[in-house]
Amino acid sequence: MRVQVAIIGSGPAGLFLGQILSRAGIHTVIIEQRSKDYVLGRIRAGVLEQGTVDLLNEIGVNQRMNAEGMYHDGIELCFNGARHRIDLKALSGGKRVMVYGQTEVTHDLMDAREAAGYETVYEAQNVSVHDFDTDHPKVRYMKDGVAHEVECDVIAGCDGFHGVCRASVPQDAVQTYERVYPFGWLGILSDTPPVSDELIYSNHERGFALCSMRSATRSRYYVQCSLDDKVEQWSDEAFWNELRLRLDDEAAERLVTGPSIEKSIAPLRSFVAEPMRFGRLFLAGDAAHIVPPTGAKGLNLAVADVRYLSQALLQFFDGDAHGIDTYSQKCLQRVWKAERFSWWMTSLMHKFPENGAFGHKIQQAELAYLIGSEAASTSLAENYVGLPFEA
Ligand code: RFL
Ligand code: PHB
């Protein structure tokens, strides 16, 4: 097979890129190692920045999102037994976020791709990338016992943190920066009404908790847990009890509990690989960087990369290499700002046992400052809704 762009990975980064390029007449294929159902079964992000919503509108994959997504104008910070609202919309000059699950975004993009007849290979095994230091890169994979080779002009590495693309770059060509946090998030999904109309981020001496949602009847909750914890050790009852303890009295009282329909533990990590381009191989999304989920930035950052990459590739196929030459630098400026924000929010909201009682007092002082200072809450708001894009 010969295509212009071979996209590795059918997560949000790969699907957004595929949709933008294919609509513009660029021949693409998406090569994904998992099955479609497996990809759709992963419960992840829930918060879309306006820029992500705008892009879904621009590419016409917006019907269900506009019908079912919920705009949120604020978030609540809970500490010292009380909740305080941050008015994102008022503080950011009218911007807000949308609560619409990553699973739904993925579903909508897969449906749109299928309906338009653009090609995706699921369950591709032993995917490997070759010759991206030449003008004729190749992707090889096995499917149903048969070996395949795809010739292309460009490879887009949208294959997540554990993917093959970044791992195929010579070690001395890439520099990585990493912080691994000493705790994880235990998350559950349940068909119960959300405890509050807005998201609650709670700093508690027992550890962080987050109350999020997917709809008016489906909730998503998280509690900070130990890295040694196993999902099986956490009964639904134990989860609800722990969550209740980490909320203010009113929210704890109002919390509606029920059976979990999904339960999982995610480790927290900050990671950046530089650069994001290696000849004809371009990394986008989690393949190049990871943020802890506290700032709700991961999916949005993947989409921001794709916005820049798609522009650069359209220019490239038009005979202008300027965009691909500046892609990495342009992305990394935004990436590091999101890394900083996600690290800051993680540091502010979680229990770090090594920081002791002093550390907890400092967090409380910072939270008190944050809610009392318009300058400080504006900084939180403008980062949370998403920083502006470079022209
Ligand atoms: P993905 O989604 O990991 O997709 C990569 C795809 O590549 C496939 N793949 C391969 N395919 C072929 N060959 C190989 N060798 C391959 N290796 C891997 C994989 O199967 C997969 O289908 O990366 P992408 O597209 O860059 O998207 C990134 C986002 O998924 C991620 O950043 C977010 O989910 C992070 N995140 C959140 N982001 C937000 O913006 N807002 C949130 O509220 C938010 N909450 C979260 C999150 C992530 C979480 N977890 C579980 C890490 C909450 C959680 C709990
Ligand atoms: C989610 O709904 O899964 C979610 C929301 C906000 C975050 C992280 C995850 O910061």
Side-chain angles (χ1 to χ4, degrees), residues 19-72:
Q19 198 62 18
I20 300 170
L21 293 180
S22 299
R23 272 167 55 95
I26 303 291
H27 189 186
T28 66
V29 63
I30 296 184
I31 300 166
E32 163 65 48
Q33 69 175 3
R34 304 287 190 173
S35 70
K36 186 176 172 183
D37 287 346
Y38 182 97
V39 173
L40 286 172
R42 291 188 298 222
I43 308 295
R44 289 185 169 178
V47 177
L48 309 183
E49 293 176 0
Q50 188 62 51
T52 302
V53 173
D54 290 345
L55 197 55
L56 281 164
N57 280 320
E58 278 166 39
I59 62 179
V61 184
N62 55 356
Q63 254 187 315
R64 213 158 61 92
M65 171 185 75
N66 287 331
E68 297 173 21
M70 301 172 290
Y71 273 113
H72 280 210

Side-chain angles (χ1 to χ4, degrees), residues 8-14 31-34 38-39 42-47 102 124 127 158-164 185 220 222 266-267 284-287 293 296-302:
I8 316 298
S10 172
I31 300 166
E32 163 65 48
Q33 69 175 3
R34 304 287 190 173
Y38 182 97
V39 173
R42 291 188 298 222
I43 308 295
R44 289 185 169 178
V47 177
Q102 176 169 335
V127 177
C158 302
D159 51 349
F161 182 65
H162 299 288
V164 67
W185 278 18
R220 179 75 168 156
Y222 300 94
D286 281 14
K297 287 283 158 267
L299 164 63
N300 294 298
L301 210 48

Side-chain angles (χ1 to χ4, degrees), residues 81-336:
R83 271 180 287 144
H84 309 268
R85 182 165 192 266
I86 301 286
D87 191 334
L88 298 173
K89 192 175 175 198
L91 290 163
S92 69
K95 292 194 191 167
R96 42 196 190 152
V97 294
M98 180 184 270
V99 172
Y100 187 62
Q102 176 169 335
T103 313
E104 310 313 320
V105 174
T106 306
H107 208 296
D108 296 348
L109 285 164
M110 281 178 169
D111 283 355
R113 188 168 178 87
E114 246 171 64
Y118 308 135
E119 195 165 355
T120 305
V121 179
Y122 290 103
E123 298 179 84
Q125 286 141 13
N126 302 330
V127 177
S128 58
V129 293
H130 305 270
D131 303 336
F132 47 83
D133 54 345
T134 74
D135 292 349
H136 305 284
K138 292 172 195 69
V139 179
R140 299 199 183 107
Y141 63 92
M142 299 286 295
K143 166 102 184 169
D144 302 327
V146 181
H148 296 264
E149 182 173 277
V150 180
E151 291 176 41
C152 55
D153 298 312
V154 165
I155 301 173
C158 302
D159 51 349
F161 182 65
H162 299 288
V164 67
C165 291
R166 192 183 72 250
S168 302
V169 173
Q171 267 192 6
D172 58 0
V174 56
Q175 173 129 26
T176 60
Y177 304 84
E178 183 169 40
R179 166 155 304 183
V180 177
Y181 299 87
F183 42 72
W185 278 18
L186 169 66
I188 74 166
L189 195 65
S190 72
D191 278 327
T192 52
V195 66
S196 173
D197 290 343
E198 295 183 330
L199 271 60
I200 304 175
Y201 289 84
S202 181
N203 172 309
H204 192 274
E205 16 179 60
R206 297 181 65 88
F208 171 74
L210 170 60
C211 304
S212 182
M213 65 195 73
R214 291 294 177 270
S215 70
T217 56
R218 183 168 283 189
S219 300
R220 179 75 168 156
Y221 296 110
Y222 300 94
V223 295
Q224 176 182 353
C225 66
S226 159
L227 279 177
D228 300 325
D229 284 4
K230 302 272 172 286
V231 175
E232 307 77 51
Q233 297 167 334
W234 280 91
S235 65
D236 288 357
E237 197 192 351
F239 180 91
W240 293 119
N241 287 338
E242 190 58 44
L243 177 62
R244 218 181 268 114
L245 287 170
R246 296 182 188 190
L247 299 178
D248 61 288
D249 290 345
E250 197 225 333
E253 177 87 9
R254 199 149 28 92
L255 181 69
V256 179
T257 65
S260 64
I261 49 179
E262 195 266 357
K263 197 188 282 168
S264 53
I265 293 181
L268 268 67
R269 183 195 301 269
S270 297
F271 174 88
V272 181
E274 295 188 359
M276 291 171 60
R277 175 200 179 181
F278 308 89
R280 292 288 183 96
L281 170 65
F282 297 82
L283 302 181
D286 281 14
H289 42 73
I290 294 283
V291 288
T294 325
K297 287 283 158 267
L299 164 63
N300 294 298
L301 210 48
V303 176
D305 289 352
V306 165
R307 181 185 282 269
Y308 290 139
L309 183 55
S310 55
Q311 286 166 356
L313 291 177
L314 292 178
Q315 266 179 25
F316 170 70
F317 287 114
D318 239 9
D320 175 0
H322 179 72
I324 60 169
D325 289 341
T326 51
Y327 167 70
S328 180
Q329 192 199 357
K330 215 164 153 180
C331 280
L332 284 165
Q333 284 189 17
R334 189 179 177 85
V335 166
W336 276 110

